[in-house]
Amino acid sequence: MRWIWLFALLASFQLSAQEWQLRDTCPPSFLLTEDNRCELKTLYQFYTSTQGKGLGGTQTELPPHRDGFTPQQIDLGRHLFFDPLLSGDQQLSCASCHLPEKGFSDGKALSDGANNLQTTRSSPTLWNSAFVTRFFWDARAQSLEEQAVGPLFAENEMDNTPERLLASLNQNSVYKQWFAQAFGESNGITLDQIASALTAFQTSLISLNSRYDQYVHGNHNALNENEIAGMNVYRSFVARCSECHMPPLFTNNQIAVIGTPEPEGMPLDVGAETTFNAPKLKGGFKVPTLRNIAKTAPYMHSGRFATLREAVEFYTLGRGHAVPEGVEMQIHWHIWEPNLTDEEIDRIVDFLHALTDETFTPAVPAVLPSGLTPINNQQTAAIKGENQ
């Protein structure tokens, strides 16, 4: 009997050794090069036209993007992203606020952080981060690496310290082995490597295969009559949605002052005014992508609107109608009074649902080197309950 128990124990060790392997293949939509790099490949790369972007043009090329990470770096970042070991109390992971099931947001107006605190803004989606040039709602980070480490050390987010984070990872034999494998160095894990691995994973989150994309690439049966009607309103000179939310990314990577109202009882968030020390940007925030927008309610920087229809309707209620009395804002010139009908608003909402694409949603790791649960059990249970 003792030998049977010992054999089972050895078998479990062998299984564990097999589990602790980083992938040597690229995520879907990426091609592995001869020098072990993952290069993004999409049908949009065959388009060279930049004309019509501001008018809602369809077959236009994508802007520059980041790729070229190794499969091992991407997979290491995937495990780190879901590992609560990165937080100070080991109760939160990056995925706590960026859940795959919620379009890599979290379904809350303000996210729950450490110390029973809340963040001050809604969690934005991470889809297509490889194409983004500035990060956070107020555009204060200029790289994915800078964005990746910010929440780790924020008191109201993951509340870790650089020293504690490095100690936790360097004391873990699997992570030490993985970092050495991913970065070719064995002198210990560094903060730059952590940021680079998280960046590698985020650049692999590609969503460019929605029914809208299939329509663009020639399948005109991919959208129904209402969605096509909505797309035409969206692209029109009346609604002017596409002038800021430009295809194919459905953002222009710029900052816009639109005068979104704050939730009841919350003070005015000046946004990018602080980042750039520019009064003209008071109340200015990044133009978010609309891809997978149907999955990321509530909407705006503070989750002010519960539904897509409320968010769309905001733009037709009058220029600057929600700006607090006595506050001066330089509302973006694209924001005007299109006086859309209820039917036109409904059709735009129909079209926005056609931008959903979760084809390449990465798998949540079954196990983590830390031994911790990949995603908070309460969040997972809540999501399952909502989807039943």
Side-chain angles (χ1 to χ4, degrees):
M1 183 67 68
R2 181 181 300 174
W3 286 106
I4 294 176
W5 175 84
L6 180 60
F7 179 80
L9 182 63
L10 291 172
S12 69
F13 282 150
Q14 183 178 9
L15 178 62
S16 296
Q18 292 173 349
E19 288 175 343
W20 303 134
Q21 298 292 323
L22 291 175
R23 292 177 176 174
D24 58 5
T25 56
C26 294
S29 200
F30 287 82
L31 176 68
L32 184 63
T33 64
E34 292 184 357
D35 61 346
N36 195 42
R37 301 285 172 176
C38 296
E39 289 187 355
L40 178 63
K41 301 295 180 182
T42 78
L43 288 178
Y44 283 103
Q45 74 188 62
F46 296 106
Y47 306 140
T48 58
S49 174
T50 59
Q51 299 299 315
K53 279 189 175 181
L55 307 178
T58 53
Q59 293 187 348
T60 53
E61 64 179 341
L62 288 161
H65 65 275
R66 293 190 63 181
D67 61 3
F69 293 95
T70 69
Q72 294 77 17
Q73 290 167 346
I74 294 171
D75 200 35
L76 171 58
R78 179 175 69 97
H79 284 82
L80 291 173
F81 184 86
F82 290 99
D83 200 333
L85 185 67
L86 270 63
S87 63
D89 61 5
Q90 300 188 359
Q91 298 296 311
L92 298 168
S93 69
C94 302
S96 296
C97 293
H98 299 284
L99 292 157
E101 298 90 338
K102 295 289 185 179
F104 282 97
S105 61
D106 63 2
K108 300 176 182 179
L110 304 177
S111 300
D112 296 322
N115 308 308
N116 294 318
L117 298 175
Q118 282 188 319
T119 61
T120 57
R121 294 174 184 143
S122 177
S123 293
T125 182
L126 300 181
W127 282 115
N128 295 332
S129 293
F131 299 93
V132 179
T133 53
R134 280 189 173 272
F135 302 87
F136 297 113
W137 279 103
D138 57 9
R140 67 183 182 273
Q142 300 185 49
S143 69
L144 268 171
E145 287 84 353
E146 185 180 354
Q147 176 272 328
V149 298
L152 296 177
F153 309 128
E155 181 183 6
N156 65 339
E157 295 190 57
M158 297 176 73
D159 192 36
N160 212 335
T161 66
E163 297 77 16
R164 185 166 51 197
L165 175 60
L166 290 174
S168 299
L169 290 173
N170 277 299
Q171 290 167 8
N172 186 291
S173 60
V174 175
Y175 272 129
K176 285 193 69 174
Q177 172 190 337
W178 279 0
F179 271 90
Q181 180 183 357
F183 294 100
E185 301 175 8
S186 57
N187 296 325
I189 299 167
T190 68
L191 288 177
D192 285 346
Q193 290 174 345
I194 296 169
S196 183
L198 289 170
T199 294
F201 172 66
Q202 289 188 71
T203 61
S204 74
L205 303 177
I206 301 299
S207 179
L208 295 170
N209 191 35
S210 67
R211 288 187 296 109
Y212 163 80
D213 298 295
Q214 295 166 29
Y215 180 90
V216 165
H217 300 320
N219 178 10
H220 288 176
N221 294 319
L223 298 182
N224 63 37
E225 184 177 336
N226 282 345
E227 291 162 345
I228 293 174
M231 179 179 67
N232 289 333
V233 177
Y234 178 96
R235 299 192 304 173
S236 71
F237 281 108
V238 177
R240 305 172 77 166
C241 308
S242 62
E243 292 183 353
C244 286
H245 298 282
M246 293 163 43
L249 287 185
F250 290 88
T251 176
N252 59 5
N253 276 328
Q254 296 179 10
I255 296 166
V257 180
I258 65 174
T260 306
E262 301 291 348
E264 191 70 30
M266 288 189 63
L268 176 67
D269 188 338
V270 299
E273 177 185 17
T274 299
T275 301
F276 298 96
N277 191 27
K280 68 178 182 179
L281 294 179
K282 183 187 298 292
F285 297 95
K286 274 181 43 185
V287 176
T289 179
L290 299 184
R291 286 186 172 273
N292 291 306
I293 192 70
K295 307 287 291 188
T296 60
Y299 302 104
M300 304 300 182
H301 67 275
S302 59
R304 175 64 174 79
F305 299 127
T307 67
L308 262 179
R309 198 183 195 286
E310 289 178 46
V312 174
E313 187 180 36
F314 164 79
Y315 292 95
T316 195
L317 293 179
R319 178 180 173 86
H321 71 275
V323 176
E325 185 177 352
V327 175
E328 292 188 9
M329 285 189 186
Q330 296 188 29
I331 302 297
H332 196 287
W333 67 276
H334 286 171
I335 305 299
W336 68 309
E337 299 180 10
N339 297 318
L340 299 177
T341 65
D342 285 343
E343 182 178 356
E344 288 172 326
I345 293 173
D346 288 338
R347 296 294 77 77
I348 291 176
V349 172
D350 289 337
F351 170 64
L352 294 178
H353 277 81
L355 301 180
T356 299
D357 166 39
E358 301 175 294
T359 308
F360 298 148
T361 300
V364 177
V367 291
L368 295 169
S370 65
L372 299 171
T373 304
I375 294 182
N376 182 281
N377 286 329
Q378 291 182 346
Q379 290 174 320
T380 304
I383 291 170
K384 290 181 178 178
E386 291 172 6
N387 293 335
Q388 288 177 350

